[in-house]
Amino acid sequence: MKNHLLKLIIFLSVFIEFLLWSICHSDDLQIIPLKHLFYLEACFTMPSDVVVGKANKIYVLDGVNHQVKVFGKGGRFLYSFGKKGNKKGEFFYPLGLGVDKDGLIYVADSGNMRVQAFDPAGDYINHFVLEKRIGRCIPDPTDVAIDSIKKRLYVVDNHNHEILVYSSYDKRFLSYFGTKGEKEGCFHFPFFLTTEEKGNVYVVDVLNARFQIFSPLGRLISAGGVFGVEPGQFYRPKGIAIDGKKRIFVTDSYLGTIQIFNDNGQFKGIAGDNSGNILHLNHPMGLFIDDEDRLLVVEMTANKVSVFKIFD
């Protein structure tokens, strides 16, 4: 009880500090306007991630329920796949989703220490297990991203503070990059990641309060964010996505905000509504931007996914 109360006090103090700053500096702050379209709701229990696949199907990872739930473009629930377990097609507290250009869905099945692949209908295709390497902790895959051109899968190993690289063709382990630390190129509990058309890899580095951009071979290109509660800073960054203008959208699960940066790591603005107010969400986690500039954001503690249109 004391721990929960302490967490609440810390959260409120951080949120109030951020709110006061944003009020005092509202005239200087660039608001990126979003128009709310609709919610996705289907008896979620703390969902964590979302992607859009072929035929504009929306896939939401409902990890506490050990399922992926699938919706049509307009938000109508279609079907779900998966259940609790360790057999093929089953999950144990999965956390992250990825989708490739062919519409295949990849699930970071964290509790089973593996990544599973499914076709767009949710039928199991194959999987690979993250092996414990000498001198490493038990692996903890929290997210997966796909480079369809170079045929690579990038997997976040949260426990070991590194990114694992696999062949998407035969699921062979190829290499890794990163190690635990605070210097650029290092990680302190990475969580979600994404790739873009050049093959660069964008990783949210949670306890270092930043995101980092790497080449396909793991060379650091740039980084953005530092610890804090002012715009351009993060308290607990989690999700990351890139829009058609190459802007980087990053959720902060503690502050409830979405901040926007360019690919040099420079802060450009913060997501808001049509009235120019900063958008505040309920523990935003994974997010995804589709080909129609719709931004889908998982609001974990609200047990829903919010769908917005990006106008700026």
Side-chain angles (χ1 to χ4, degrees):
M1 183 67 180
K2 289 182 178 179
N3 287 337
H4 288 300
L5 183 59
L6 180 59
K7 288 181 180 179
L8 179 60
I9 292 171
I10 292 172
F11 169 75
L12 289 174
S13 64
V14 169
F15 181 76
I16 290 170
E17 183 179 349
F18 172 78
L19 192 60
L20 290 174
W21 193 98
S22 62
I23 291 172
C24 293
H25 295 77
S26 58
D27 292 339
D28 306 324
L29 192 58
Q30 177 66 37
I31 300 293
I32 308 299
L34 305 177
K35 178 184 178 181
H36 184 263
L37 300 177
F38 55 86
Y39 295 113
L40 302 177
E41 296 178 289
C43 298
F44 296 125
T45 303
M46 299 183 72
S48 55
D49 204 6
V50 59
V51 297
V52 178
K54 271 198 166 182
N56 291 306
K57 286 183 179 177
I58 303 169
Y59 298 80
V60 181
L61 191 52
D62 190 11
V64 175
N65 288 322
H66 317 282
Q67 287 185 327
V68 176
K69 292 178 176 174
V70 188
F71 300 79
K73 178 181 177 180
R76 181 172 65 89
F77 176 74
L78 300 177
Y79 55 88
S80 63
F81 59 91
K83 64 178 182 179
K84 186 176 183 179
N86 56 17
K87 296 178 181 179
K88 294 177 180 179
E90 298 178 344
F91 304 119
F92 192 60
Y93 295 106
L95 283 169
L97 284 174
V99 60
D100 70 11
K101 66 178 182 63
D102 297 318
L104 299 184
I105 304 301
Y106 294 81
V107 181
D109 188 6
S110 182
N112 286 320
M113 296 180 296
R114 65 187 180 184
V115 173
Q116 298 195 73
F118 299 83
D119 70 16
D123 294 323
Y124 168 87
I125 298 175
N126 56 35
H127 76 273
F128 61 93
V129 177
L130 278 63
E131 301 292 341
K132 184 181 183 301
R133 307 196 324 272
I134 296 175
R136 299 292 201 277
C137 299
I138 294 173
D140 178 27
T142 57
D143 199 16
V144 55
I146 302 92
D147 180 347
S148 296
I149 296 175
K150 296 180 175 60
K151 305 296 183 184
R152 288 176 176 159
L153 295 173
Y154 296 92
V155 182
V156 175
D157 185 350
N158 182 264
H159 280 174
N160 290 298
H161 313 279
E162 58 191 20
I163 307 302
L164 309 177
V165 187
Y166 292 82
S167 164
S168 62
Y169 175 71
D170 57 11
K171 309 305 184 288
R172 285 182 300 113
F173 175 72
L174 300 177
S175 62
Y176 75 93
F177 57 89
T179 188
K180 185 177 182 179
E182 298 179 357
K183 295 180 180 179
E184 289 192 347
C186 298
F187 300 113
H188 196 182
F189 293 110
F191 197 74
F192 279 151
L193 80 168
T194 191
T195 56
E196 45 83 63
E197 58 188 15
K198 294 180 181 179
N200 293 332
V201 185
Y202 296 65
V203 185
V204 176
D205 187 11
V206 177
L207 291 192
N208 283 326
R210 65 189 177 193
F211 65 89
Q212 300 190 81
I213 306 173
F214 297 86
S215 74
L217 297 178
R219 178 181 61 83
L220 179 69
I221 296 174
S222 63
V226 295
F227 184 78
V229 298
E230 297 182 4
Q233 302 175 345
F234 296 116
Y235 200 84
R236 285 294 184 271
K238 288 292 173 64
I240 188 165
I242 306 164
D243 75 355
K245 296 181 179 180
K246 308 303 179 186
R247 296 178 298 186
I248 304 164
F249 288 64
V250 184
T251 59
D252 192 313
S253 64
Y254 219 75
L255 297 178
T257 57
I258 302 172
Q259 300 194 66
I260 297 95
F261 297 77
N262 66 18
D263 56 8
N264 291 320
Q266 297 171 321
F267 174 71
K268 303 302 292 183
I270 192 164
D273 59 25
N274 289 334
S275 299
N277 301 310
I278 295 174
L279 191 66
H280 292 288
L281 304 170
N282 292 292
H283 288 87
M285 295 284 285
L287 71 169
F288 190 91
I289 299 172
D290 69 10
D291 294 336
E292 298 181 7
D293 284 327
R294 296 192 311 170
L295 173 66
L296 298 90
V297 188
V298 175
E299 295 191 64
M300 185 180 67
T301 54
N303 292 316
K304 64 186 179 183
V305 176
S306 291
V307 182
F308 300 93
K309 179 72 174 180
I310 305 171
F311 282 109
D312 187 41

